[in-house]
Amino acid sequence: MAVGMKSVLREGGGDGQLKRTESPGALSIVLPGSGGLTCTPEAVYHQTLMPCVVLNRCLLVVLLSLGALAPARMASAQYKNSAFALDLAGTYITRPGVLDGSGNQLSNSSLPNRLAYGERLGAEVNFKLNEDHWWFIGHLNLGLFGFATWGSDNTSRNYQFDQAAKTYIGTELGIQAVPGVRYYFFTDRKRPYLQLGFSYMRLFTFSSTAGDPCSLPLCPSGGAFADVFLPHPNVLALHLQPGVEFVLKRDLALHMALDIQRWLIINAPGNFSFNVVLGVTFYS
């Protein structure tokens, strides 16, 4: 039946009787025990069903809002404001020669460090700067380095020098501190980055003969074995490190990098150090 007018409560006939109101097309019902109080179907709808419709719509808006915000919360939780990392690295070091342009051995203070290879264990703390792409890096490395006698020309001065260094100095322990800044190009599950840093490393020898006087032909300037074969125990370096992180789960990532170092030594040739790094990062 059609309802064409605004529904109102009206006084009508006897209880339980149907009564046509003054409004054309509107049917009113006499409510039992109401003393003739009547209501139209529209009044029943607005007083009983309308609140349910409004409540359902409000719940729908709330659910849609939570659904829209949930992915954003999960994404922001994945990348925290700080992280801790552990890594291992293998090291290859270039070796400048020990002779000058005239074929004479360099003085002790001008000799290069002839370390050739090494392994290192690293620990790192990271702090996010003003936004997701920029991070401050603090890295501490403990490394073991050695001299090598690669090549077949065992009559060369460089070969003889390295052989003596391996015998009288042996393995070196290096403690290196690296502050730096890292920029992430992407901040999704694959996170390529570029890192710049500066470091100081102190080299220590385990040899008991390092402090003994050197009387070998390889020591024309005299001094102790350490003065000749490890002339620069304090090493400054510049770092360029491209790398990538793979987020495995919410707070854990695998990272790989190539740490390229340029050793800076005063009054002596510097070395390049190439470190292949593999580690894990824990976000906190």
Side-chain angles (χ1 to χ4, degrees):
M1 78 185 54
V3 179
M5 303 294 291
K6 181 180 180 181
S7 58
V8 294
L9 293 175
R10 301 185 183 278
E11 296 292 338
D15 290 350
Q17 299 177 357
L18 297 180
K19 179 182 177 182
R20 181 73 62 182
T21 63
E22 294 86 349
S23 302
L27 178 65
S28 58
I29 304 173
V30 179
L31 302 176
S34 64
L37 184 63
T38 64
C39 68
T40 65
E42 286 184 271
V44 174
Y45 171 78
H46 284 284
Q47 295 178 34
T48 59
L49 298 180
M50 179 59 76
C52 295
V53 174
V54 173
L55 179 60
N56 287 340
R57 290 178 179 175
C58 291
L59 289 175
L60 180 60
V61 171
V62 171
L63 291 175
L64 290 176
S65 300
L66 291 176
L69 292 175
R73 274 200 300 270
M74 290 178 64
S76 63
Q78 184 174 343
Y79 309 115
K80 307 293 184 66
N81 292 324
S82 61
F84 174 75
L86 295 173
D87 62 63
L88 294 171
T91 302
Y92 168 77
I93 307 169
T94 61
R95 297 175 293 168
V98 299
L99 302 179
D100 60 18
S102 302
N104 299 315
Q105 184 167 311
L106 297 168
S107 63
N108 292 348
S109 61
S110 298
L111 285 169
N113 285 340
R114 291 277 297 177
L115 297 169
Y117 62 91
E119 304 84 25
R120 81 178 197 200
L121 172 66
E124 181 178 276
V125 290
N126 307 335
F127 298 98
K128 186 188 296 185
L129 297 177
N130 61 341
E131 52 95 17
D132 286 345
H133 293 273
W134 290 97
W135 288 65
F136 169 80
I137 307 299
H139 206 109
L140 180 65
N141 294 316
L142 296 178
L144 294 175
F145 304 97
F147 299 93
T149 54
W150 299 326
S152 57
D153 186 8
N154 57 9
T155 61
S156 70
R157 189 73 165 190
N158 288 331
Y159 182 97
Q160 295 171 357
F161 188 93
D162 292 340
Q163 185 66 53
K166 189 174 183 178
T167 301
Y168 295 101
I169 299 296
T171 301
E172 306 299 309
L173 170 67
I175 301 177
Q176 185 182 51
V178 190
V181 177
R182 178 180 297 174
Y183 179 81
Y184 287 97
F185 295 99
F186 304 107
T187 58
D188 297 321
R189 299 188 69 86
K190 295 179 182 179
R191 311 180 71 191
Y193 68 83
L194 183 65
Q195 178 176 313
L196 299 177
F198 180 80
S199 71
Y200 167 75
M201 179 170 64
R202 173 69 182 184
L203 294 170
F204 302 89
T205 180
F206 300 102
S207 173
S208 60
T209 60
D212 295 346
C214 178
S215 57
L216 299 175
L218 296 168
C219 307
S221 301
F225 286 108
D227 296 332
V228 178
F229 301 113
L230 188 63
H232 308 286
N234 299 296
V235 179
L236 301 177
L238 297 175
H239 294 246
L240 175 66
Q241 179 174 313
V244 61
E245 288 183 358
F246 299 95
V247 178
L248 304 179
K249 53 190 298 186
R250 184 165 183 157
D251 297 325
L252 179 65
L254 174 71
H255 70 260
M256 297 183 292
L258 176 62
D259 179 16
I260 304 171
Q261 303 178 21
R262 174 59 176 176
W263 291 6
L264 305 175
I265 299 175
I266 299 176
N267 296 328
N271 310 66
F272 279 101
S273 172
F274 300 91
N275 304 267
V276 179
V277 183
L278 178 64
V280 290
T281 300
F282 306 91
Y283 294 101
S284 59

